[in-house]
Amino acid sequence: MYKYFLFFFFLIQYSYSQNYRIMYDFSYKLDSLKQNSDNIEMVLDVQKDYSKFYYKKLIKLDSLLKNGGVISYTFPIQQVLKRKIGSFKNENFVNLEDKYYNYISLDEINWKILSQTKFSNNYKLQKAETIWGGRKWIAWFSPEIPVSEGPYKFRGLPGLIFEVKDSKDNFNYKLTSINKILSKYDTSNIVESNLGVNPISITLQQYQKLLIDNYNNPFSEYYTMKEGTWGLTIFDKHISNLEGLKSIKKDYQLQIINNYNPIELDKAVKYKVD
């Protein structure tokens, strides 16, 4: 038993000395009442000291930025993270109203490992479950790849997470590829900054307040500008004065409510409907 433990320990150490790039297909529902899901490709970079989770599209945009392009990108759903290997302490990167923020959260997950197994792409997977973030989650992990990481904040199993979904099928991550890479990928433009825009450090509570303020007072930056010096198009309407902003306020708030389906229900903000 002791020899087996030592072997497993050194295998983990060896695995974590490698740099992995793992791709996931992420399907999600912004509106929990709708049947159809949206899909986006996500990247999990596992390095010696850190793991980073972000949108695959950001790699292409990073290349364009390095070649002199001027680019901005609004996250379809907040999914950019960085954490130390072996830790449940996450650095969350979020964007809101063209600004980039980061905050720290401690997201410990207690898994129940079950006996069920299945095969996927020649890997034997084992089932695990947890109640976390106000939802029930089902995961499938592979002990054959002793990397205790996975998509988003899901980690802590004795093997790489291949699949994880919530019981109501709002969110579903599926591994599509795993590759060893020779060197660490520089994410300074796409994780630690948003295509050159550095983050503003805040707390989770401050982020929640920003969401509420944006809901209660949308377009607030335009109210201090002189009419005739600005304009925006929203809901297929061109708005260039304060009366126009007031006329679309309720539609904008309704859009926020209809598209607010947070992964972590225990951290959700409560929007008031007039």
Side-chain angles (χ1 to χ4, degrees):
M1 181 69 181
Y2 178 70
K3 289 182 179 179
Y4 174 79
F5 174 79
L6 283 178
F7 172 76
F8 188 71
F9 174 78
F10 285 118
L11 189 58
I12 289 177
Q13 292 297 103
Y14 173 76
S15 296
Y16 275 48
S17 69
Q18 309 293 312
N19 295 309
Y20 286 96
R21 169 155 292 170
I22 303 155
M23 300 290 186
Y24 290 91
D25 177 69
F26 175 44
S27 65
Y28 60 93
K29 293 179 182 178
L30 293 177
D31 184 345
S32 62
L33 299 179
K34 289 186 177 180
Q35 294 297 317
N36 296 331
S37 298
D38 293 309
N39 288 72
I40 192 167
E41 290 183 283
M42 304 298 299
V43 179
L44 173 65
D45 281 346
V46 179
Q47 303 166 356
K48 179 182 178 182
D49 298 317
Y50 289 94
S51 70
K52 302 174 185 182
F53 190 65
Y54 55 92
Y55 307 98
K56 182 182 178 183
K57 184 177 180 179
L58 286 172
I59 296 174
K60 182 181 290 186
L61 295 180
D62 186 30
S63 178
L64 292 173
L65 181 69
K66 289 174 179 175
N67 286 312
V70 178
I71 300 163
S72 64
Y73 182 59
T74 300
F75 299 168
I77 184 171
Q78 308 292 359
Q79 286 280 297
V80 178
L81 296 165
K82 177 181 178 180
R83 63 173 168 264
K84 287 186 177 181
I85 293 296
S87 174
F88 284 105
K89 185 178 181 180
N90 291 288
E91 185 174 5
N92 304 258
F93 295 89
V94 297
N95 65 0
L96 181 66
E97 294 298 292
D98 298 324
K99 292 183 180 179
Y100 198 47
Y101 300 93
N102 64 338
Y103 66 88
I104 300 298
S105 62
L106 185 60
D107 305 289
E108 188 169 353
I109 301 175
N110 297 308
W111 295 98
K112 179 181 179 182
I113 298 176
L114 306 176
S115 60
Q116 291 103 311
T117 60
K118 68 177 183 179
F119 283 87
S120 177
N121 295 324
N122 297 319
Y123 286 99
K124 185 178 181 180
L125 307 183
Q126 189 165 354
K127 190 176 183 180
E129 293 180 348
T130 188
I131 303 293
W132 176 79
R135 299 181 188 270
K136 180 180 179 180
W137 298 90
I138 300 99
W140 292 90
F141 68 97
S142 174
E144 297 173 25
I145 304 178
V147 174
S148 186
E149 295 293 331
Y152 191 53
K153 298 181 179 181
F154 299 103
R155 63 162 311 278
L157 286 166
L160 179 66
I161 295 175
F162 274 54
E163 302 174 18
V164 61
K165 61 181 287 188
D166 73 293
S167 59
K168 294 186 178 179
D169 207 24
N170 282 277
F171 307 98
N172 192 350
Y173 302 84
K174 288 188 177 181
L175 185 147
T176 57
S177 67
I178 175 170
N179 294 286
K180 292 179 182 179
I181 54 179
L182 295 177
S183 59
K184 292 189 293 185
Y185 181 78
D186 180 10
T187 61
S188 58
N189 282 331
I190 57 177
V191 173
E192 291 82 358
S193 76
N194 183 19
L195 301 170
V197 177
N198 291 324
I200 301 168
S201 294
I202 57 175
T203 64
L204 170 62
Q205 291 72 27
Q206 288 172 322
Y207 174 58
Q208 292 168 326
K209 185 177 184 302
L210 286 171
L211 292 175
I212 293 292
D213 289 346
N214 179 61
Y215 174 82
N216 289 334
N217 303 293
F219 320 114
S220 58
E221 67 273 21
Y222 293 100
Y223 281 81
T224 59
M225 297 182 187
K226 185 178 179 180
E227 289 191 10
T229 63
W230 58 269
L232 74 156
T233 300
I234 186 168
F235 305 132
D236 296 323
K237 296 179 182 178
H238 182 71
I239 308 297
S240 58
N241 55 52
L242 299 185
E243 288 303 315
L245 290 179
K246 292 176 183 176
S247 71
I248 62 170
K249 179 179 178 179
K250 286 189 177 181
D251 288 338
Y252 182 79
Q253 290 176 326
L254 185 61
Q255 184 186 58
I256 289 176
I257 291 172
N258 288 342
N259 290 283
Y260 188 60
N261 183 26
I263 291 181
E264 299 167 62
L265 292 174
D266 58 346
K267 295 184 177 120
V269 299
K270 294 182 179 180
Y271 295 118
K272 293 182 180 179
V273 181
D274 294 332

